[in-house]
Short mmCIF file of all heavy atoms in Angstrom, two decimals:
data_model
loop_
_atom_site.label_atom_id
_atom_site.label_comp_id
_atom_site.label_asym_id
_atom_site.label_seq_id
_atom_site.Cartn_x
_atom_site.Cartn_y
_atom_site.Cartn_z
N ASP A 1 99.46 99.02 67.82
CA ASP A 1 100.61 98.60 67.27
C ASP A 1 100.74 97.11 67.29
O ASP A 1 100.50 96.41 68.32
CB ASP A 1 101.81 99.21 67.88
CG ASP A 1 101.86 100.65 67.65
OD1 ASP A 1 101.44 101.15 66.58
OD2 ASP A 1 102.42 101.42 68.62
N ALA A 2 101.16 96.53 66.19
CA ALA A 2 101.42 95.00 66.19
C ALA A 2 102.56 94.57 67.12
O ALA A 2 102.61 93.54 67.74
CB ALA A 2 101.79 94.52 64.80
N ALA A 3 103.42 95.61 67.41
CA ALA A 3 104.69 95.27 68.16
C ALA A 3 104.51 95.75 69.65
O ALA A 3 105.46 96.01 70.29
CB ALA A 3 105.88 95.85 67.64
N ARG A 4 103.26 95.97 70.17
CA ARG A 4 102.99 96.23 71.52
C ARG A 4 102.26 95.02 72.21
O ARG A 4 101.05 95.04 72.51
CB ARG A 4 102.13 97.53 71.72
CG ARG A 4 102.96 98.78 71.41
CD ARG A 4 102.21 100.03 71.89
NE ARG A 4 102.71 101.17 71.37
CZ ARG A 4 103.77 101.88 72.02
NH1 ARG A 4 104.23 101.52 73.18
NH2 ARG A 4 104.16 103.04 71.41
N PRO A 5 103.02 94.00 72.59
CA PRO A 5 102.39 92.80 73.19
C PRO A 5 102.02 93.00 74.71
O PRO A 5 101.20 92.16 75.15
CB PRO A 5 103.42 91.73 72.97
CG PRO A 5 104.67 92.50 73.09
CD PRO A 5 104.47 93.78 72.43
N CYS A 6 102.52 93.86 75.32
CA CYS A 6 102.42 94.18 76.78
C CYS A 6 101.24 95.03 77.20
O CYS A 6 101.30 95.62 78.23
CB CYS A 6 103.67 94.45 77.37
SG CYS A 6 105.03 93.28 77.13
N LEU A 7 100.13 95.09 76.41
CA LEU A 7 99.05 95.91 76.78
C LEU A 7 98.27 95.20 78.03
O LEU A 7 97.85 94.10 77.80
CB LEU A 7 98.04 96.03 75.53
CG LEU A 7 96.84 96.78 75.80
CD1 LEU A 7 96.89 98.19 76.17
CD2 LEU A 7 95.94 96.65 74.53
N ALA A 8 97.98 96.03 78.90
CA ALA A 8 97.28 95.52 80.13
C ALA A 8 95.83 95.64 79.94
O ALA A 8 95.31 96.56 79.22
CB ALA A 8 97.69 96.31 81.44
N ARG A 9 94.99 94.79 80.47
CA ARG A 9 93.61 94.79 80.26
C ARG A 9 92.98 96.17 80.86
O ARG A 9 92.04 96.65 80.29
CB ARG A 9 92.95 93.58 81.09
CG ARG A 9 91.46 93.47 80.95
CD ARG A 9 90.78 92.57 81.99
NE ARG A 9 91.55 91.27 81.99
CZ ARG A 9 91.01 90.14 81.46
NH1 ARG A 9 89.95 90.23 80.63
NH2 ARG A 9 91.60 88.96 81.45
N SER A 10 93.45 96.66 81.84
CA SER A 10 92.90 97.86 82.50
C SER A 10 93.23 99.07 81.63
O SER A 10 92.38 99.94 81.50
CB SER A 10 93.49 98.06 83.91
OG SER A 10 94.99 98.20 83.73
N GLU A 11 94.43 99.10 80.92
CA GLU A 11 94.69 100.18 79.95
C GLU A 11 93.71 100.19 78.79
O GLU A 11 93.14 101.25 78.42
CB GLU A 11 96.15 100.01 79.36
CG GLU A 11 97.23 100.32 80.23
CD GLU A 11 98.60 100.05 79.49
OE1 GLU A 11 98.78 98.83 79.19
OE2 GLU A 11 99.23 101.08 79.21
N LEU A 12 93.47 99.01 78.38
CA LEU A 12 92.48 98.81 77.16
C LEU A 12 91.17 99.30 77.57
O LEU A 12 90.51 100.02 76.93
CB LEU A 12 92.50 97.40 76.60
CG LEU A 12 91.57 97.02 75.44
CD1 LEU A 12 91.82 97.95 74.20
CD2 LEU A 12 91.63 95.53 75.20
N ALA A 13 90.74 98.88 78.65
CA ALA A 13 89.34 99.25 79.20
C ALA A 13 89.31 100.70 79.29
O ALA A 13 88.33 101.31 78.94
CB ALA A 13 89.05 98.53 80.48
N ALA A 14 90.24 101.42 79.89
CA ALA A 14 90.12 102.86 80.18
C ALA A 14 90.20 103.58 78.86
O ALA A 14 89.47 104.54 78.63
CB ALA A 14 91.40 103.25 80.94
N VAL A 15 91.04 103.23 77.90
CA VAL A 15 91.06 103.98 76.56
C VAL A 15 89.82 103.87 75.85
O VAL A 15 89.32 104.75 75.11
CB VAL A 15 92.46 103.78 75.79
CG1 VAL A 15 92.28 102.31 75.14
CG2 VAL A 15 92.70 104.79 74.76
N ILE A 16 89.25 102.60 75.80
CA ILE A 16 87.95 102.33 75.03
C ILE A 16 86.91 103.17 75.72
O ILE A 16 86.09 103.85 75.08
CB ILE A 16 87.60 100.96 75.12
CG1 ILE A 16 88.52 100.20 74.21
CG2 ILE A 16 86.10 100.70 74.63
CD1 ILE A 16 88.31 98.64 74.07
N GLU A 17 86.72 103.28 77.05
CA GLU A 17 85.86 103.98 77.70
C GLU A 17 85.83 105.47 77.34
O GLU A 17 84.82 106.05 77.03
CB GLU A 17 85.93 103.88 79.24
CG GLU A 17 84.96 104.55 80.06
CD GLU A 17 85.08 104.50 81.57
OE1 GLU A 17 85.88 103.43 81.98
OE2 GLU A 17 84.48 105.27 82.24
N HIS A 18 87.12 106.03 77.44
CA HIS A 18 87.20 107.44 77.08
C HIS A 18 86.96 107.73 75.61
O HIS A 18 86.44 108.88 75.21
CB HIS A 18 88.62 107.99 77.55
CG HIS A 18 88.73 108.07 78.99
ND1 HIS A 18 88.08 109.16 79.61
CD2 HIS A 18 89.41 107.42 79.90
CE1 HIS A 18 88.38 109.13 81.01
NE2 HIS A 18 89.21 108.05 81.20
N GLY A 19 87.33 106.78 74.81
CA GLY A 19 87.17 106.96 73.33
C GLY A 19 85.84 106.97 72.87
O GLY A 19 85.38 107.74 71.94
N LEU A 20 85.00 106.23 73.46
CA LEU A 20 83.59 106.15 73.28
C LEU A 20 82.80 107.33 73.85
O LEU A 20 81.77 107.72 73.09
CB LEU A 20 82.94 104.75 73.85
CG LEU A 20 83.51 103.47 73.27
CD1 LEU A 20 82.62 102.33 73.96
CD2 LEU A 20 83.34 103.51 71.76
N GLU A 21 83.23 107.93 74.87
CA GLU A 21 82.66 109.08 75.50
C GLU A 21 82.98 110.46 74.83
O GLU A 21 82.23 111.26 74.82
CB GLU A 21 83.01 109.15 77.12
CG GLU A 21 82.35 108.05 77.76
CD GLU A 21 82.84 108.14 79.28
OE1 GLU A 21 83.61 108.96 79.56
OE2 GLU A 21 82.17 107.31 80.12
N HIS A 22 84.23 110.59 74.38
CA HIS A 22 84.82 111.75 73.89
C HIS A 22 84.63 111.77 72.35
O HIS A 22 85.06 110.97 71.64
CB HIS A 22 86.22 111.95 74.34
CG HIS A 22 86.89 113.29 74.09
ND1 HIS A 22 86.12 114.44 74.37
CD2 HIS A 22 88.02 113.61 73.57
CE1 HIS A 22 86.94 115.52 74.07
NE2 HIS A 22 88.05 115.00 73.56
N SER A 23 84.05 112.87 71.82
CA SER A 23 83.82 112.96 70.34
C SER A 23 85.14 112.97 69.56
O SER A 23 85.08 112.62 68.31
CB SER A 23 83.05 114.32 70.12
OG SER A 23 83.75 115.46 70.51
N ALA A 24 86.22 113.46 70.19
CA ALA A 24 87.52 113.46 69.33
C ALA A 24 88.36 112.19 69.66
O ALA A 24 89.50 112.16 69.21
CB ALA A 24 88.36 114.73 69.72
N GLY A 25 87.70 111.25 70.36
CA GLY A 25 88.45 110.16 70.60
C GLY A 25 89.55 110.13 71.69
O GLY A 25 89.54 111.13 72.51
N ALA A 26 90.24 109.10 71.93
CA ALA A 26 91.22 109.01 73.05
C ALA A 26 92.45 108.08 72.75
O ALA A 26 92.30 107.27 71.85
CB ALA A 26 90.60 108.47 74.25
N LEU A 27 93.53 108.40 73.37
CA LEU A 27 94.80 107.56 73.18
C LEU A 27 95.35 107.36 74.59
O LEU A 27 95.40 108.20 75.37
CB LEU A 27 95.68 108.20 72.10
CG LEU A 27 96.35 109.49 72.59
CD1 LEU A 27 97.84 109.54 71.92
CD2 LEU A 27 95.52 110.75 72.23
N LEU A 28 96.08 106.25 74.65
CA LEU A 28 96.94 105.93 75.73
C LEU A 28 98.23 106.70 75.59
O LEU A 28 98.68 106.99 74.46
CB LEU A 28 97.37 104.46 75.88
CG LEU A 28 96.13 103.48 76.36
CD1 LEU A 28 96.75 102.12 76.39
CD2 LEU A 28 95.70 104.01 77.69
N ALA A 29 98.79 107.27 76.60
CA ALA A 29 99.98 108.22 76.59
C ALA A 29 100.61 108.22 77.91
O ALA A 29 99.95 107.89 78.88
CB ALA A 29 99.63 109.55 76.00
N LEU A 30 101.85 108.66 77.96
CA LEU A 30 102.54 108.76 79.17
C LEU A 30 103.20 110.23 79.14
O LEU A 30 103.85 110.63 78.23
CB LEU A 30 103.69 107.80 79.22
CG LEU A 30 103.28 106.36 79.54
CD1 LEU A 30 104.49 105.49 79.42
CD2 LEU A 30 102.85 106.25 80.98
N PRO A 31 103.14 110.89 80.27
CA PRO A 31 103.89 112.09 80.50
C PRO A 31 105.33 111.80 80.30
O PRO A 31 106.00 110.83 80.82
CB PRO A 31 103.54 112.63 81.91
CG PRO A 31 102.46 111.91 82.37
CD PRO A 31 102.47 110.52 81.62
N VAL A 32 106.08 112.80 79.57
CA VAL A 32 107.44 112.59 79.32
C VAL A 32 108.31 112.78 80.62
O VAL A 32 108.12 113.74 81.23
CB VAL A 32 108.03 113.54 78.19
CG1 VAL A 32 109.50 113.46 78.12
CG2 VAL A 32 107.34 113.21 76.84
#
């Protein structure tokens, strides 16, 4: 999102790692 300026480096690294490994991709999320 253009309006999410507070993305942490560790979050980005984790979602890229999982997205490359998993055939259906990955997304950052939070339990409600």
Side-chain angles (χ1 to χ4, degrees):
D1 292 328
R4 285 192 192 272
C6 298
L7 172 66
R9 188 195 301 265
S10 58
E11 284 181 294
L12 177 59
V15 74
I16 289 178
E17 179 180 349
H18 286 288
L20 297 182
E21 290 179 351
H22 189 45
S23 61
L27 66 150
L28 288 181
L30 286 170
V32 171

